Amino acid sequence: MNNQQLQSVKINIGSNMYSRFPDLPNTVPHVLAEFIDNALQSYKDNNNALLDIDNDYKLVVNIDIEWDDETNRATKIVISDNAAGINEHKYESAFMPATPPENNSGLNEFGMGLKTAALWLGETWTVQTKALGESIERTLTFNLNDVTANNLEELPIEKTEKGISEHYTIVTITDPTKNSPTRRNLDKIRGDLASIYRKSLRSNEMQIIVCGAALSFAEYPVLIAPPAGNYEAAPITWKKDVNFSFGKYKATGFIGILRDIDSTKNGFVLLRRGRVIVGAEYDGRYFPKMSGSSGTFKYKRLFGELELEGFDVSFNKNAIQDKDNLEALMDALRDEIRTPEFD
C-alpha cells in the first residue's frame, strides 16, 4: 500500500502476546527511556531540518503524570516531544511489532520499544504525531481489551490537517497496569533518567522535564590528593581518561577515585550510543574485578564512566550482552591504566 494512502497499521503478532508485555522484566525509568530514545533519535536524524525552521531550536521531552489521590499510583502518563515526528515513510514500521528500523545503528534499534513500553505501563495508549514537512497529524489508539477480545490484526489511523512546519509526538497512556509508578518513586525516576541521559544533559543537547522539574546531572566529586605514601608531593586529580581497544571491543571515558565514600556513586556506569545501559539505578552499577572486594576502600571509592562499542544489548536496553568479553575487556583495561606515576 502506498504510504500516501495509509489508512491503518498491522499489529498482528498474536493478540495474546500483547497481554504478556506487562510481565517482561523492566523498570519505570528504563521504560520511559524508550520514549526519550525515540525523540532523541528523531532529533539526531533531522537536526538540520529542525534548525532550518528555528535557529534557537532545542529538543524538549516532557513527561507528565496524573496520580490517584487515594493510592498515589499513576493513572495517566503523557510523554510529549518537539522532535521531527514520525513521517509517513516510517509510520507503518513504527507500529508493527518487532519491525526494526531501516537504520538500526541508532537508539531505536529493535522496533519493539514504543509498543512494549506503552503496554508495560498501561492497557490503552494513543500516539499523536505530526511529522516535519507534512500536513497531516496521525493518531493511533491501542486498547488491549479491544485488541484481544476481537483478535484485531490492524488498527485504523485518524488523520487531521495541520501546518506543514509543526512537528511533535504525544504518547498518552491510560488504564494502568501493575507496573504503573507511584508518587513516592518520582524522585528516583527523575534521578535515574538524569543518569541515563547524562551525556545529552551535559552537552545541553536536550531538556527532559518530569512532572514540571527539568532534569540535570550532578557530577561526582573526584579525589584530589598526593599519591599514597608520598604526602608531601603535589596533589593529583585522581581521574584518568580511557581510550582503549580490545579486539572489536572499545571503551572510552574515564576511571577515577571518589573524593568521599558514597555507596550511591561507586562502581562503573556503562554507556552505549550515548546513553547509559548499566548503572543508571543507584543499586545497579557494574563492579568488575578491578573494583576489588565488597567492603574495601577500593570498592567503595573506585568509579568510572565508560562508553562501550562492539557489544550488543538486551532488547529493553538495560543489560550488556557477552559478559565474558566484557570482563576480558575490563581485565585488559585494568592492566592498561596501571602506571608507576599514576596507579
Side-chain angles (χ1 to χ4, degrees):
M1 179 180 291
N2 188 299
N3 279 332
Q4 296 285 356
Q5 301 171 336
L6 191 63
Q7 302 296 323
S8 63
V9 292
K10 295 178 180 178
I11 58 169
N12 50 330
I13 61 168
S15 57
N16 288 334
M17 278 292 295
Y18 287 112
S19 301
R20 303 306 303 271
F21 283 5
D23 296 326
L24 293 171
N26 220 326
T27 66
V28 171
H30 274 283
V31 165
L32 293 174
E34 294 288 354
F35 302 102
I36 300 174
D37 280 353
N38 289 341
L40 184 54
Q41 192 60 50
S42 174
Y43 159 75
K44 290 176 181 291
D45 291 342
N46 299 276
N47 185 31
N48 291 335
L50 290 164
L51 289 172
D52 282 344
I53 64 169
D54 182 0
N55 290 332
D56 297 322
Y57 172 83
K58 182 176 181 178
L59 174 63
V60 180
V61 180
N62 265 288
I63 299 175
D64 293 307
I65 303 175
E66 294 182 8
W67 309 96
D68 183 284
D69 289 335
E70 293 185 3
T71 65
N72 280 321
R73 296 195 77 90
T75 58
K76 181 179 180 180
I77 301 173
V78 181
I79 306 107
S80 58
D81 68 69
N82 65 341
I86 306 171
N87 64 34
E88 59 186 8
H89 175 66
K90 297 180 178 179
Y91 194 88
E92 195 166 18
S93 62
F95 295 101
M96 288 180 66
T99 304
E102 294 175 359
N103 179 2
N104 66 351
S105 62
L107 295 171
N108 49 354
E109 60 190 294
F110 297 113
M112 288 293 288
L114 187 153
K115 285 81 70 175
T116 54
L119 279 170
W120 196 84
L121 290 168
E123 294 184 353
T124 302
W125 50 266
T126 298
V127 178
Q128 295 171 258
T129 187
K130 166 63 183 59
L132 178 65
E134 297 181 0
S135 58
I136 298 293
E137 176 197 80
R138 296 177 179 85
T139 301
L140 186 78
T141 298
F142 184 108
N143 180 284
L144 180 61
N145 288 334
D146 191 28
V147 169
T148 55
N150 297 292
N151 199 27
L152 298 180
E153 295 189 353
E154 58 183 273
L155 295 173
I157 302 168
E158 297 179 22
K159 298 180 181 180
T160 306
E161 291 282 341
K162 294 287 183 177
I164 198 166
S165 62
E166 295 185 62
H167 51 93
Y168 52 82
T169 298
I170 305 168
V171 181
T172 304
I173 302 168
T174 54
D175 297 330
T177 67
K178 60 185 178 181
N179 303 314
S180 65
T182 59
R183 199 197 302 260
R184 68 180 180 182
N185 287 328
L186 182 56
D187 285 343
K188 185 178 188 304
I189 291 168
R190 287 170 172 154
D192 286 351
L193 287 175
S195 180
I196 290 172
Y197 294 100
R198 60 182 67 193
K199 289 189 76 171
S200 292
L201 295 173
R202 278 178 188 144
S203 65
N204 206 29
E205 182 178 40
M206 71 170 169
Q207 184 177 37
I208 304 172
I209 301 170
V210 180
C211 294
L215 304 187
S216 60
F217 179 73
E219 303 294 342
Y220 302 165
V222 177
L223 177 68
I224 301 175
N230 188 11
Y231 298 112
E232 295 182 359
I236 293 174
T237 299
W238 290 97
K239 181 178 179 181
K240 187 177 182 68
D241 290 335
V242 170
N243 189 344
F244 181 71
S245 296
F246 181 77
K248 72 171 186 176
Y249 303 106
K250 185 175 182 180
T252 56
F254 69 85
I255 296 175
I257 301 174
L258 292 167
R259 184 186 65 194
D260 307 302
I261 291 175
D262 189 332
S263 62
T264 70
K265 296 180 174 65
N266 62 325
F268 285 73
V269 173
L270 306 179
L271 301 92
R272 178 175 174 269
R273 299 181 182 178
R275 59 97 93 190
V276 171
I277 301 297
V278 175
E281 301 89 348
Y282 297 130
D283 56 354
R285 292 176 305 283
Y286 173 63
F287 292 90
K289 293 175 184 176
M290 75 168 77
S291 292
S293 302
S294 176
T296 63
F297 278 106
K298 181 192 290 188
Y299 184 91
K300 293 177 180 178
R301 297 183 75 170
L302 193 67
F303 79 113
E305 182 177 304
L306 299 174
E307 174 92 22
L308 300 180
E309 296 179 24
F311 291 92
D312 292 327
V313 297
S314 59
F315 84 95
N316 50 7
K317 290 176 277 189
N318 63 3
I320 298 287
Q321 310 286 29
D322 197 358
K323 291 183 172 56
D324 288 343
N325 278 317
L326 176 59
E327 282 293 333
L329 172 69
M330 298 302 291
D331 287 345
L333 178 57
R334 174 192 59 195
D335 297 335
E336 178 74 11
I337 64 173
R338 285 177 171 169
T339 61
E341 70 280 2
F342 196 92
D343 185 354

